[in-house]
Amino acid sequence: MNAVVSNQTDGDGRVRVSLAELIALRGRVTRLRMPPQDSRATRVGTQTSRLYGRGMDYAESRAYQPGDDVRRMDWRLTARSGRLHTKLFQEEREGQLLILLDQHPSMRFGTRVRFKSVQAARAAALAAWHAVKAGERVGLMVFGESSHLQRPRGGVRGALDVCGALAQCDTAASGQGQPLSQALQHVIKLQHGANRVLLISDGQSSDQAARDRLLEMMRHTAVRTLIVADVLELQPAPAGSYPVEHHGERRRLILQTEHQRKAFQQSLGEGQARLAAIATSLGIPYRIIDTAADPLDAVGALLRNAGGRR
């Protein structure tokens, strides 16, 4: 169901993504103060590398073991302790952020300011600019009504590629949606070295298998979730009559009693509640924003640190 918004045009930033706005969001991120970034990929179970060469950072020294490379001997510690010691190094990796964006038909809904699809694109663009400022490569995978894969790329060019893809996918529809679990499975297979994944969705595509796929993904990468919701999905609507559009037909929705209003809110908000429950059960940091909110704080909190749940 899509809320009726009259006199709107493509690219106006309300029912359609505005490429100019997505690019302009760079200025807001540029002014942010960024905390120190660790360029090493965060991976569960990662152990110190035994390799030695360019792009390697010293981690620690330990007692020499047969077979260790003599070129990595820690001669100073050996001299002080009287026992042979070997230096260990960690491979220095460039951080990579992969944005996983939901563009199912349910995202093309909004009763305040803009559609969820437009708000999600704005959040994705902010995340891309945030990654660039942090020195990370950034890529994009769109799933749902549209599908697209933008491989991670560094610098301003990477964020511009993401913005362009966001605008293009907003106007192109394949009509073949896929559940969240299938999109996650695709990401697991084609992760392209991303050490962080930001999922942006309204949760309507989340299915039972999505939890297992997220758990599998968390073994290799840090996952964050931004849930985009309409205000009617978060709280009961005021009593009244509402114009809506469903499958091209315009109708009026009558919500008068408290029971009608709560039932309608629970029906609309089922997806975001389901995705929030999955994130909570797995310990995935998430934020929920509505279509009228400024996504900058939520995106920044998720990408800077553990993000928290709210």
Side-chain angles (χ1 to χ4, degrees), residues 169-280:
C169 292
D170 188 58
T171 59
S174 65
Q176 298 179 349
Q178 59 177 319
L180 177 59
S181 60
Q182 289 186 13
L184 293 172
Q185 185 63 41
H186 191 200
V187 172
I188 292 170
K189 291 180 179 179
L190 302 174
Q191 213 162 309
H192 301 294
N195 61 302
R196 296 203 290 174
V197 170
L198 175 63
L199 168 63
I200 305 177
S201 172
D202 66 352
Q204 294 293 344
S205 64
S206 57
D207 55 339
Q208 186 174 3
R211 186 184 187 280
D212 292 337
R213 299 291 81 76
L214 282 168
L215 181 60
E216 182 179 356
M217 182 182 296
M218 290 171 64
R219 298 191 181 106
H220 306 283
T221 187
V223 180
R224 305 287 183 263
T225 300
L226 181 65
I227 302 174
V228 180
D230 185 75
V231 65
L232 292 184
E233 298 169 341
L234 299 175
Q235 61 189 45
S241 173
Y242 296 89
V244 297
E245 183 177 310
H246 184 62
H247 294 309
E249 296 184 10
R250 295 188 177 187
R251 302 177 182 179
R252 282 203 164 268
L253 179 66
I254 308 300
L255 299 175
Q256 293 294 347
T257 68
E258 182 178 358
H259 175 74
Q260 289 174 331
R261 293 158 53 210
K262 286 187 176 180
F264 181 67
Q265 180 260 318
Q266 291 175 356
S267 176
L268 283 183
E270 181 182 5
Q272 60 91 6
R274 185 166 59 246
L275 183 54
I278 292 174
T280 299

Side-chain angles (χ1 to χ4, degrees), residues 50 60-65 68 72 84-88:
R50 289 176 172 269
E60 61 179 339
S61 293
R62 61 158 169 76
Y64 174 83
Q65 296 178 3
D68 284 348
R72 295 188 289 113
L84 293 175
H85 280 77
T86 301
K87 291 182 178 179
L88 298 181

Side-chain angles (χ1 to χ4, degrees), residues 66-81:
D68 284 348
D69 192 336
V70 294
R71 293 175 297 178
R72 295 188 289 113
M73 296 294 294
D74 187 338
W75 297 112
R76 290 187 178 181
L77 182 56
T78 296
R80 291 199 305 268
S81 65

Side-chain angles (χ1 to χ4, degrees), residues 294-307:
D294 182 352
L296 181 61
D297 288 344
V299 169
L302 289 172
L303 295 185
R304 282 195 305 268
N305 46 51

